[in-house]
Amino acid sequence: MSTSDLEPERLLGMYRDMLLIRRFEERAAELRMAGLIPGFLHPYIGQEAVAVGVCAALGPGAALTSTHRGHGHMLARGASPARMYAELYARRDGYNRAKGGSLHMIDTELGFLGANGIVGGGIPLATGAGLQLKRSGVRAVAVSFFGDGATNEGAFHESLNLASLWKLPVLYVCENNLYGEFTRQDRHQTVKDVAVRASSYEMPGVIADGNDVLDVHRVADAAVERALEGGGPTLIEAKTYRHRGHYEGDMGAYRPPDEVAEWLARDPILTFGARLVAEHVVDQDALDAVAREVEETLEEAAAFAAASPHPLPEEALEDVYAESYEGAALR
């Protein structure tokens, strides 16, 4: 896809969304080091073009499921950085009132059905959402983001089988960053391209340059159109790379330094910004203005989170549900 295929305002918006994700994650890491954010963080740094490219192709009514590395997906869909930070701070004004944290953040108003700490856990949820969209006649798609390791899970294969059989409007987006936690892809599966696994289920399997937001958008846009016209699901493999370790604190010693350097040189934000300037879509001043706006947004978001009250102990069981053995709902 060329920059001439989209309006300058939209291209600049995509740049802004990627930069917002990057700086949100970098600041979150700093806040965690300062002791303000408890628990684990799995930074999305380096993979921003995937979330932004896919979400830019979605219309209203879409349903999304995510992974343990879900902040980027949520921000790309339009979530509030302030409420996200408040959730990471474990404060009452967070998206889940401090009960979700980083690994299980959710915003149903955005159609964001949640990050998920289980590998591949969001894949069947998106498949169910796709079934509901089809049965209800809503012209929208479901999207599931997951990593290369999740494509070894039974839930992945069962979901693709049913989605193909029932021609569900689902985009299965594999963010192949070459590592399943600490294990390189070629040591946990024999296929080089995850996309080939789609052939077992008679659905398209397409590869996108996961460091090129416009290439991701091109592939996702075609998959959305196909789904909305009744053509069924698509497996998208976006080849990308996380710049940091599996989690914040993982030094990533298992990755060769030359490999890391090669991928850092293909930074999706730096290359896209340079392309916008080189092709005279915007000038450097416009990019700098976006950067300032992002910093102001995140400064306000962090201040909002810090000012948000802590939840009270008696609130611990609010909005928590279970089923008794007799089938009666318990609260």
Side-chain angles (χ1 to χ4, degrees):
M1 176 177 282
S2 167
T3 54
S4 62
D5 294 325
L6 298 172
E7 301 82 2
E9 294 78 10
R10 194 171 183 195
L11 293 167
L12 191 59
M14 295 168 83
Y15 176 83
R16 184 260 181 196
D17 289 347
M18 287 198 292
L19 188 60
L20 177 67
I21 294 169
R22 173 72 57 89
R23 291 296 297 131
F24 179 95
E25 295 286 58
E26 290 175 340
R27 184 181 284 255
E30 295 166 2
L31 293 170
R32 181 178 178 275
M33 285 293 292
L36 297 173
I37 292 178
F40 277 105
L41 290 178
H42 299 79
Y44 196 70
I45 296 170
Q47 301 179 200
E48 298 89 353
V50 184
V52 173
V54 170
C55 288
L58 305 179
L64 295 84
T65 65
S66 184
T67 69
H68 55 281
R69 206 178 307 283
H71 301 161
H73 307 138
M74 199 165 179
L75 286 167
R77 191 57 179 159
S80 161
R83 292 188 64 193
M84 289 181 68
Y85 273 149
E87 186 63 30
L88 294 179
Y89 270 56
R91 300 299 178 90
R92 189 186 294 170
D93 292 321
Y95 267 108
N96 304 110
R97 299 177 66 190
K99 295 182 176 70
S102 174
L103 291 176
H104 297 97
M105 213 177 298
I106 186 171
D107 183 2
T108 55
E109 291 184 5
L110 286 176
F112 190 82
L113 305 183
N116 203 308
I118 303 301
V119 175
I123 302 175
L125 300 180
T127 305
L131 176 60
Q132 174 60 19
L133 289 170
K134 181 173 182 176
R135 294 182 65 178
S136 62
V138 176
R139 187 175 170 81
V141 302
V143 180
S144 181
F145 293 97
F146 49 88
D148 51 288
T151 68
N152 297 331
E153 295 287 332
F156 168 81
H157 296 279
E158 294 166 16
S159 294
L160 266 65
N161 182 60
L162 283 178
S164 179
L165 184 66
W166 295 336
K167 291 194 177 300
L168 302 183
V170 185
L171 274 62
Y172 295 101
V173 182
C174 175
E175 298 182 283
N176 186 355
N177 60 25
L178 303 184
Y179 288 86
E181 294 192 347
F182 320 109
T183 304
R184 189 175 171 83
Q185 183 193 0
D186 59 13
R187 301 198 61 184
H188 69 74
Q189 55 189 211
T190 57
V191 297
K192 179 181 179 181
D193 299 323
V194 168
V196 303
R197 292 188 162 180
S199 63
S200 297
Y201 306 105
E202 293 295 326
M203 72 171 66
V206 294
I207 297 174
D209 180 350
N211 278 28
D212 182 343
V213 67
L214 295 185
D215 196 52
V216 174
H217 181 62
R218 173 187 63 82
V219 169
D221 198 50
V224 169
E225 184 63 26
R226 179 176 183 273
L228 294 179
E229 295 304 316
T234 298
L235 172 61
I236 297 172
E237 178 186 7
K239 292 185 181 291
T240 185
Y241 200 78
R242 52 175 164 81
H243 288 185
R244 301 200 183 190
H246 171 58
Y247 58 88
E248 194 60 26
D250 166 26
M251 300 304 293
Y254 47 88
R255 302 192 301 180
D258 57 340
E259 174 188 281
V260 176
E262 177 185 351
W263 281 93
L264 288 178
R266 297 174 54 196
D267 185 303
I269 299 175
L270 295 180
T271 55
F272 188 56
R275 181 178 176 183
L276 293 181
V277 172
E279 297 182 12
H280 306 289
V281 176
V282 298
D283 57 21
Q284 187 60 47
D285 288 344
L287 299 186
D288 293 342
V290 167
R292 289 192 296 271
E293 185 267 326
V294 164
E295 293 304 319
E296 291 172 2
T297 296
L298 294 179
E299 189 70 29
E300 294 171 0
F304 173 86
S308 178
H310 291 276
L312 300 174
E314 54 266 31
E315 297 173 5
L317 297 181
E318 291 181 3
D319 305 313
V320 177
Y321 297 86
E323 288 288 326
S324 72
Y325 288 109
E326 293 76 23
L330 299 177
R331 180 171 180 176

